[in-house]
Amino acid sequence: GEELIGFQLAIAAAGVASAKAPMEDLQVIGTIQPSEAPLHLVGFDPGEELLWSASQAGMVYAHLMLSGAPHVAFRTDREMSPAVAVFPHSSGLVTLTYAAAHFISRGGVELAEVRHES
């Protein structure tokens, strides 16, 4: 897929986003720019007002909805492996790299890891 160099958050002019709202009824409320490499994964947090993203440089970011302000940033693992998937969860975040699955708190603390040793 195409990498995201930066992306914009938009809401409906009435204040509530709708999947059926025409684009002309949306207004840009913030632009998120990565600090290092282009972002290539995005996921909405089901329990908090956070938007999660990851870069191929091995960094994971959370931004506050609706402003897009940075909330937290951390490495995927010690080797800074590229994330291949992010799955926001009500208790944190699951990230997948090519060799491991990581369960991470919203603050960036790794709670569990399952690693494939080759």
Side-chain angles (χ1 to χ4, degrees):
E2 187 174 313
E3 291 181 341
L4 303 172
I5 302 301
F7 54 93
Q8 295 182 332
L9 302 175
I11 60 170
V16 178
S18 168
K20 297 181 180 181
M23 288 302 290
E24 58 269 6
D25 290 345
L26 300 178
Q27 62 182 354
V28 173
I29 59 168
T31 301
I32 296 174
Q33 295 292 334
S35 61
E36 296 174 11
L39 303 174
H40 70 282
L41 299 170
V42 177
F44 292 94
D45 195 299
E48 298 289 332
E49 297 272 330
L50 295 174
L51 178 68
W52 292 94
S53 58
S55 74
Q56 292 212 353
M59 290 297 295
V60 176
Y61 306 93
H63 292 87
L64 299 175
M65 299 290 290
L66 297 164
S67 69
H71 175 65
V72 68
F74 51 87
R75 298 175 179 186
T76 53
D77 58 16
R78 287 180 211 88
E79 296 83 26
M80 291 191 68
S81 305
V84 295
V86 293
F87 300 103
H89 184 272
S90 60
S91 299
L93 179 73
V94 176
T95 61
L96 299 180
T97 62
Y98 291 108
H102 306 270
F103 183 59
I104 304 167
S105 74
R106 285 190 179 94
V109 176
E110 186 171 85
L111 304 173
E113 174 186 78
V114 177
R115 181 167 291 278
H116 173 71
E117 301 298 335
S118 45

